[in-house]
Amino acid sequence: MKKIAANISLFIVLFALVLAMAASFFTHANIASADETVNSIKVVKAPVSNLEGNATAGKSTVAVFDSENRTFYIPESYFLSELTTIVAGVIYGVQYAGETFYLSQEPITTQITPIEGEQLSPDVRLTLKEETASLLTQKTVDGITEYLPLKSISNEYTVKLWGFNEDASKIYVSATFNGDTTFGFVAVEELEPFSIPYQQRSQAERDALLAAKDEANKPGSIPAPSTSVGLRIVLIVGIAIPTVIIVLLLFKPSKDERRYAKNSVRNSRSKDDFDYDDSRSYRNRDRRDDRDYDRDSDRDYDRRERDYDRDYDRDYDRRDRRDDRDYRRDDGRR
């Protein structure tokens, strides 16, 4: 009984510990969610292919097109916002760097809360290698894409990066001069080398990854504590599963306990449970009553009487079988 009470007490303590951790996690998550959803917005994020390995952003897989049906891919880690449905399942409108562009399929969205001063689109100014460069327009006919000259631009223009064409050989740019902005493509070879920094959120994530890796590589280092949602879930599951296993093992009866239970039931049965006569002997050889003795006596008497009659008759017959030669032999002896 004491062992059962101890097991129940241990189970209650472990269960309370799991509930406390779960309550702490969900309370924190709910508070954070309540704070963030007030000013959160729905966005489409351009995925990053190799955040740890690449120091700068490249062409993503998110493609948009402008009002003249020119398609380009936005840089990794940046966002499209203000998603609107123009033709359901066909065309969706989005905002990118303050301009309206379009998506040809329904995107996967997520919710974020913008930070003060955060930029959702890149802000990269480009420089021409030469005095002038050709600004190209894009035409696609029967699945074949061509780039045709649109106008000539110089370094007097403010040329800003917006994205890449399909093979990243050309950059989709805006060229602004005297307040007049023209969109088009410029070949990469006509531009000075450039790099695109990650959006602030991805850059912070990359910095954390590299810092954790450097810390882990130090001799005798201890991993820095993390309060991420994923880690909390892992911790809760990691505690809950062993708790359930321990409880099952504690309450599972052992072989000795089962044997003891059977013996206890067997020993608890008293003589009163049976029609038991203390005056009688229950051994097999002592179970004969008076009727058995009478029956045996009669049987023995009959057997002796039959044996006597049989012996008498046999002796009488033997005497009668003697022939004359026996008498003559007897006479001769005499």
Side-chain angles (χ1 to χ4, degrees):
M1 191 68 184
K2 292 182 178 179
K3 185 176 181 181
I4 294 177
N7 292 339
I8 294 175
S9 300
L10 180 59
F11 170 75
I12 293 174
V13 171
L14 293 175
F15 187 69
L17 178 61
V18 173
L19 286 181
M21 293 188 65
S24 174
F25 164 71
F26 287 112
T27 301
H28 182 274
N30 289 336
I31 293 174
S33 177
D35 292 339
E36 292 178 358
T37 52
V38 174
N39 298 317
S40 65
I41 59 173
K42 183 184 294 186
V43 296
V44 178
K45 181 180 179 180
V48 180
S49 60
N50 186 0
L51 184 61
E52 183 179 346
N54 295 331
T56 57
K59 179 179 77 72
S60 74
T61 58
V62 177
V64 297
F65 59 93
D66 60 17
S67 58
E68 296 185 19
N69 206 29
R70 295 176 293 194
T71 300
F72 67 95
Y73 295 80
I74 69 173
E76 295 174 321
S77 76
Y78 288 94
F79 298 93
L80 305 174
S81 61
E82 299 183 29
L83 180 69
T84 58
T85 301
I86 297 176
V87 179
V90 179
I91 300 176
Y92 297 85
V94 291
Q95 288 292 309
Y96 176 58
E99 298 288 338
T100 300
F101 293 92
Y102 306 93
L103 294 167
S104 59
Q105 59 184 359
E106 185 174 3
I108 299 174
T109 62
T110 186
Q111 294 283 136
I112 67 168
T113 301
I115 303 171
E116 185 178 355
E118 180 181 17
Q119 294 181 337
L120 302 182
S121 58
D123 186 12
V124 178
R125 183 167 178 173
L126 303 175
T127 303
L128 305 180
K129 279 186 177 181
E130 305 294 339
E131 289 295 327
T132 61
S134 179
L135 187 65
L136 307 175
T137 188
Q138 183 189 74
K139 297 291 184 181
T140 302
V141 179
D142 297 332
I144 300 175
T145 300
E146 295 181 330
Y147 293 90
L148 305 175
L150 181 61
K151 63 184 298 186
S152 179
I153 59 175
S154 67
N155 278 325
E156 294 181 352
Y157 283 75
T158 301
V159 182
K160 297 183 65 174
L161 178 144
W162 291 62
F164 303 82
N165 73 333
E166 188 171 6
D167 61 5
S169 63
K170 296 176 177 57
I171 306 300
Y172 186 81
V173 300
S174 63
T176 304
F177 182 70
N178 289 334
D180 182 23
T181 300
T182 306
F183 289 92
F185 291 89
V186 176
V188 172
E189 59 266 20
E190 294 191 82
L191 299 171
E192 293 287 352
F194 63 91
S195 63
I196 307 171
Y198 286 115
Q199 201 271 345
Q200 289 96 314
R201 293 171 185 263
S202 295
Q203 185 62 51
E205 184 179 350
R206 184 174 189 273
D207 293 341
L209 285 174
L210 296 178
K213 186 175 181 180
D214 292 341
E215 186 68 22
N217 290 334
K218 292 181 180 179
S221 62
I222 300 176
S226 174
T227 57
S228 65
V229 173
L231 181 59
R232 293 186 182 186
I233 293 174
V234 171
L235 288 175
I236 292 174
V237 173
I239 293 176
I241 292 177
T243 300
V244 174
I245 294 175
I246 290 172
V247 170
L248 292 178
L249 292 177
L250 288 175
F251 286 96
K252 180 182 179 182
S254 64
K255 292 183 179 179
D256 293 338
E257 291 175 342
R258 290 196 294 269
R259 191 180 299 113
Y260 174 77
K262 291 181 180 178
N263 293 335
S264 298
V265 173
R266 188 181 298 113
N267 294 335
S268 65
R269 300 178 66 182
S270 64
K271 292 189 298 182
D272 296 336
D273 297 334
F274 305 93
D275 183 14
Y276 193 87
D277 186 359
D278 290 334
S279 64
R280 292 181 58 186
S281 174
Y282 284 89
R283 293 179 297 178
N284 291 335
R285 62 177 181 268
D286 295 334
R287 293 182 180 175
R288 302 170 65 184
D289 55 16
D290 294 339
R291 290 174 296 178
D292 296 331
Y293 288 107
D294 293 341
R295 191 181 304 110
D296 290 344
S297 297
D298 294 340
R299 189 182 299 112
D300 292 341
Y301 178 79
D302 293 340
R303 186 183 300 111
R304 289 194 300 270
E305 191 176 58
R306 287 195 302 271
D307 292 343
Y308 176 80
D309 292 341
R310 185 171 56 254
D311 293 341
Y312 178 82
D313 293 341
R314 187 182 299 113
D315 293 338
Y316 181 81
D317 292 340
R318 188 181 299 114
R319 289 193 301 268
D320 290 344
R321 286 180 196 145
R322 301 177 65 182
D323 56 15
D324 295 337
R325 290 176 295 181
D326 295 328
Y327 291 109
R328 286 194 299 270
R329 188 183 302 114
D330 294 339
D331 292 340
R333 284 193 197 107
R334 288 193 293 267

